[in-house]
Amino acid sequence: MSDIDLLVRVSHLYYELDETQERIAEIVGVTRPQVSRLLKEARAEGIIEVRIIDPHRTKRGVAEQLQKRFGLRHVALCPRLAGPEDLTRRLIGKAAASYLRGLLREGFIVGVGGGDTLACTVDYMLTPANPLRVTVVPLLGGVSPALQANELARRLAHLTGGVVHELHSPGLVKDRAMKEAIIAHTSVQSIAALWHQLHVAVFGIGAAVWSERNLGAETIRQLEQAQAVGEFLARPFDLDGHLCAPELGERTVGIAPDLLARVPMSIAIAGGEAKVVPLLGALRGRFFKALVTDEDTAERLLEFDAASSPRESAAARAHQES
């Protein structure tokens, strides 16, 4: 019996014949925890489809409006759940995992960022019946623990049956000279070479939560002057989608925005009230080609965009006047 046949058999027993997981374990000759994992895998493979009919939810074409308004290739929306923020974050992660699974093909090279929502996405990337053997590479250096790009790249590679190439470098260094010394190293050059071959890049959108302790007084001054509202992969931007604080980019060990723009499919994953303004700036900057978020955030993005016409950023004005 093939792996797919086993998944189909277990699905029929559980959902159509109402057998318990204990009874299914006896029938097919596995343990009860294995039955639970098989059912999860069947959902991941699309063998089982679960539909929740919410009578209060209406079709408003929000995804289509966002897609058309900002020239996106795809928008995936999930409902927003009342309660702790992590509930909606998990739904966004699950929707992103489903979309990503549909995109990946054997031999793909995938770049990943870091953060809470991307970690949720990886959590829902269940191991497929047939390993995809993708190559996973971080898009940004970092030395923080579980949610940094190296760790998420390792987890994604394991779950897809692929391989990981880790980036052994801080994400932000002291100055340009230190960055140049790091990227001259052979191991980092091999990562940079893979950035030029990416098929898919997936990352989060961050809010403006930087501090002088992390970035330095001069960089903070630049960000305040430019009225930066968010960042992606440590690249800050303003509400109009203009990149800010070029000095920070000179110290960042990660994929450059112009190279990211050439990746065939780039996916941003973010949602919640705190991400509305950063997401609008990122959308106006055309920093990604697909978006996964929640319905409330999507609606607020359209409303806020209509109410706030793009303005010329302080950084752009300063550049023109100089």
Side-chain angles (χ1 to χ4, degrees):
M1 179 182 295
S2 70
D3 291 337
I4 294 296
D5 290 338
L6 179 59
L7 295 178
V8 171
R9 185 182 181 196
V10 168
S11 301
H12 280 303
L13 289 168
Y14 188 73
Y15 286 100
E16 294 185 347
L17 299 182
D18 295 321
E19 294 286 358
T20 65
Q21 292 189 17
E22 289 79 7
R23 176 58 179 155
I24 295 172
E26 294 176 8
I27 293 172
V28 301
V30 298
T31 65
R32 195 211 62 77
Q34 285 176 313
V35 172
S36 178
R37 287 195 293 271
L38 288 168
L39 290 169
K40 289 180 180 179
E41 187 175 341
R43 289 181 61 182
E45 291 294 320
I47 293 169
I48 298 170
E49 293 185 353
V50 178
R51 296 181 62 205
I52 299 174
I53 308 301
D54 182 352
H56 300 292
R57 194 173 169 195
T58 59
K59 299 288 185 180
R60 292 179 288 251
V62 175
E64 291 79 4
Q65 292 180 58
L66 270 179
Q67 189 170 331
K68 182 177 180 180
R69 173 67 183 86
F70 296 103
L72 297 169
R73 294 187 187 174
H74 184 78
V75 174
L77 301 181
C78 71
R80 179 171 178 79
L81 292 184
E85 191 71 24
D86 72 291
L87 296 179
T88 299
R89 185 185 303 123
R90 285 161 58 190
L91 282 176
I92 294 172
K94 189 169 186 178
S98 176
Y99 179 54
L100 186 58
R101 281 196 304 270
L103 284 177
L104 296 184
R105 299 290 182 271
E106 185 170 349
F108 267 23
I109 301 175
V110 184
V112 299
D116 293 320
T117 310
L118 188 55
C120 290
T121 301
V122 175
D123 287 341
Y124 284 104
M125 290 292 294
L126 301 177
T127 305
N130 299 309
L132 292 171
R133 297 182 180 85
V134 298
T135 297
V136 188
V137 57
L139 295 171
L140 181 71
V143 293
S144 58
L147 299 181
Q148 58 109 343
N150 270 338
E151 173 61 22
L152 297 185
R154 281 194 295 268
R155 288 167 54 192
L156 181 59
H158 174 73
L159 289 168
T160 56
V163 297
V164 62
H165 293 257
E166 296 183 27
L167 176 56
H168 298 291
S169 165
L172 187 65
V173 296
K174 181 180 179 180
D175 52 36
R176 182 174 182 174
M178 183 176 291
K179 173 183 174 178
E180 290 177 349
I182 290 174
I183 62 178
H185 194 278
T186 304
S187 65
V188 179
Q189 286 183 349
S190 66
I191 298 295
L194 289 171
W195 288 338
H196 286 268
Q197 304 172 54
L198 291 173
H199 297 90
V200 177
V202 56
F203 51 90
I205 301 296
V209 293
W210 37 73
S211 67
E212 184 175 323
R213 179 174 176 271
N214 294 328
L215 302 183
E218 175 57 24
T219 300
I220 292 297
R221 185 192 66 78
Q222 292 181 24
L223 293 173
E224 291 175 348
Q225 182 181 19
Q227 301 177 42
V229 298
E231 57 84 22
F232 70 102
L233 300 171
R235 306 288 180 155
F237 52 84
D238 66 15
L239 187 58
D240 297 338
H242 298 122
L243 293 171
C244 306
E247 179 270 342
L248 185 61
E250 294 177 353
R251 298 192 288 131
T252 300
V253 181
I255 189 170
D258 59 341
L259 181 56
L260 181 66
R262 296 200 292 270
V263 177
M265 178 52 74
S266 51
I267 310 164
I269 304 172
E273 184 175 355
K275 297 297 179 72
V276 173
V277 172
L279 269 174
L280 181 55
L283 283 164
R284 287 174 171 175
R286 303 295 201 267
F287 298 137
F288 48 85
K289 298 178 175 70
L291 172 65
V292 185
T293 188
D294 63 274
E295 290 177 335
D296 284 6
T297 297
E299 289 180 341
R300 292 200 60 194
L301 282 168
L302 290 169
E303 293 169 0
F304 192 21
D305 181 57
S308 61
S309 58
R311 56 177 175 72
E312 185 180 34
S313 70
R317 291 195 302 271
H319 178 72
Q320 289 178 352
E321 292 169 0
S322 63

